[in-house]
């Protein structure tokens, strides 16, 4: 653990002295190095990185969410529920509620933030406006695999098979 902290300080020292903290490429490079060290970018480290680079923490949060390879938590699985027009008309909201319920996530928080971490920290649940699979709606995606024509009653079995 002490070795990681030392490496983190070296990363902060290097990027902090680079003098171009407003440059998006520099910020993303910093975040990638932090993630390489820890596996994800915790809120505490994100705050330290923002202070080091002289930017608002919200800038780093936006970059983390913009780049799918960057992770805010050490989750192992990602579930994306389509909220596009066609999926929405075919029980999309019920599917979101069912998935959130199976994972122990308050779906009201999900609607506001667009993504939530399960209480055990293992699954990230996200919504996306369209998965580009409209012909087979409603759809959800688990770890890159798309499940088509989902019904709320199918959710428990799909999650059980995946995890």
């Amino acid at each position: 653990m002490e070795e990681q902290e030392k490496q983190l300080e070296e990363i902060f020292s290097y990027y902090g002295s680079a003098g171009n903290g407003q440059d998006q490429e520099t910020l993303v490079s910093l975040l990638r190095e932090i993630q390489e060290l820890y596996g994800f970018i915790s809120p505490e480290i994100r705050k330290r990185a923002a202070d080091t680079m002289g930017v608002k923490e919200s800038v780093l949060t936006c970059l983390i969410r913009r780049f799918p390879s960057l992770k805010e938590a050490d989750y192992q699985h990602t579930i994306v529920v389509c909220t596009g027009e066609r999926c929405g008309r075919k029980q999309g909201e019920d599917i979101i509620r069912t998935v959130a319920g199976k994972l122990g996530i308050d779906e009201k928080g999900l609607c506001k933030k667009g993504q939530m971490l399960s209480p055990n920290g293992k699954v990230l649940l996200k919504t996306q406006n369209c998965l580009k699979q409209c012909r087979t709606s409603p759809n959800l995606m688990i770890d890159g695999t798309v499940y088509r024509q989902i019904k709320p009653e199918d959710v428990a079995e799909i999650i059980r098979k995946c995890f």
Side-chain angles (χ1 to χ4, degrees):
M1 193 72 151
E2 195 173 298
E3 181 63 30
Q4 276 185 324
E5 187 64 31
K6 182 179 174 186
Q7 288 176 328
L8 182 63
E9 290 307 319
E10 287 176 14
I11 292 169
F12 285 153
S13 175
Y14 173 79
Y15 284 97
S17 65
N20 51 353
Q22 303 299 320
D23 179 52
Q24 180 176 313
E25 286 182 40
T26 302
L27 294 173
V28 171
S29 293
L30 166 68
L31 293 172
R32 284 190 173 134
E33 284 199 40
I34 292 169
Q35 181 167 296
E36 197 173 299
L37 185 61
Y38 289 98
F40 65 102
I41 304 154
S42 70
E44 299 81 22
I45 292 176
R46 184 179 57 227
K47 180 173 179 11
R48 286 179 59 193
D51 292 344
T52 298
M53 300 306 288
V55 297
K56 292 182 179 180
E57 193 175 343
S58 61
V59 171
L60 298 183
T61 300
C62 287
L63 288 173
I64 292 168
R65 291 188 178 161
R66 181 173 177 217
F67 290 89
S69 63
L70 297 173
K71 294 170 54 174
E72 291 182 272
D74 193 19
Y75 56 87
Q76 298 162 350
H77 303 283
T78 304
I79 298 177
V80 181
V81 179
C82 184
T83 57
E85 185 178 334
R86 288 187 186 174
C87 288
R89 281 187 283 160
K90 295 182 179 179
Q91 296 184 305
E93 290 296 318
D94 293 336
I95 292 169
I96 293 169
R97 280 197 274 304
T98 303
V99 171
K102 292 293 175 195
L103 298 175
I105 296 173
D106 176 16
E107 79 272 1
K108 291 176 185 170
L110 174 69
C111 295
K112 292 177 184 172
K113 296 181 181 182
Q115 63 181 22
M116 290 287 292
L117 199 58
S118 64
N120 67 4
K122 302 294 181 194
V123 182
L124 180 68
L125 174 60
K126 298 169 42 170
T127 59
Q128 186 170 314
N129 187 38
C130 189
L131 292 176
K132 310 292 188 227
Q133 305 287 325
C134 298
R135 288 180 285 130
T136 59
S137 63
N139 303 292
L140 69 88
M141 184 169 55
I142 300 177
D143 296 333
T145 301
V146 177
Y147 294 85
R148 296 168 175 81
Q149 297 178 328
I150 301 300
K151 294 179 182 73
E153 55 269 18
D154 300 333
V155 169
E157 181 65 17
I158 292 169
I159 289 174
R160 187 189 66 72
K161 285 181 181 177
C162 292
F163 311 135

